[in-house]
Amino acid sequence: MKRVAQVIRVRPEKLDEYRELHRDVPQPVLDRLRACHIANYSIHFLGDRLFSYFEYHGNDLAADLALMAADRATQAWWRLTDPCQEPVEEAAPGERWASMEQVFFMD
């Protein structure tokens, strides 16, 4: 199992819209996340930043993320959520959600 933590900025004028969108995430999007071996997924706000955490239980995260990106329901969802977001300064070129380094885990 791989733990993944990421951060992105939410546009201040889109905070309420982003919250509203996540009150009712479409079931096909949730189903795709599960089919891609993602569990315990959560998103949190801090100021204008979003922090996400999930656990990956598969064998090839890159392949599963590619399957997710090819999914029509997920693409439609991203067309709604992407305009609410902008990468943080720490994001690598082409990276939307910047990956965070785990420095501690209590088992």
Side-chain angles (χ1 to χ4, degrees), residues 33-34 36-41 54-57 61 65 68:
L33 286 164
R34 289 182 184 101
C36 289
H37 312 286
I38 291 174
N40 295 322
Y41 186 28
F54 64 85
E55 296 170 354
Y56 177 69
H57 294 269
L61 180 58
L65 292 178
M68 188 180 312

Side-chain angles (χ1 to χ4, degrees), residues 28-38 41 54 56 61-78:
V29 172
L30 299 174
D31 292 343
R32 172 54 57 185
L33 286 164
R34 289 182 184 101
C36 289
H37 312 286
I38 291 174
Y41 186 28
F54 64 85
Y56 177 69
L61 180 58
D64 279 328
L65 292 178
L67 283 173
M68 188 180 312
D71 180 68
R72 287 186 182 198
T74 301
Q75 291 171 359
W77 176 246
W78 288 347

Side-chain angles (χ1 to χ4, degrees), residues 6-15 18 45-51 78 80-92 94-99:
Q6 300 172 308
V7 66
I8 197 167
R9 180 170 285 113
V10 66
R11 298 176 192 279
E13 71 276 11
K14 299 283 192 172
L15 284 169
Y18 196 82
F45 270 113
L46 177 62
D48 68 347
R49 289 188 175 217
L50 298 171
F51 163 76
W78 288 347
L80 297 173
T81 59
D82 282 1
C84 298
Q85 305 165 340
E86 59 186 7
V88 295
E89 301 81 31
E90 298 87 352
E95 183 179 55
R96 292 193 50 76
W97 284 83
S99 296

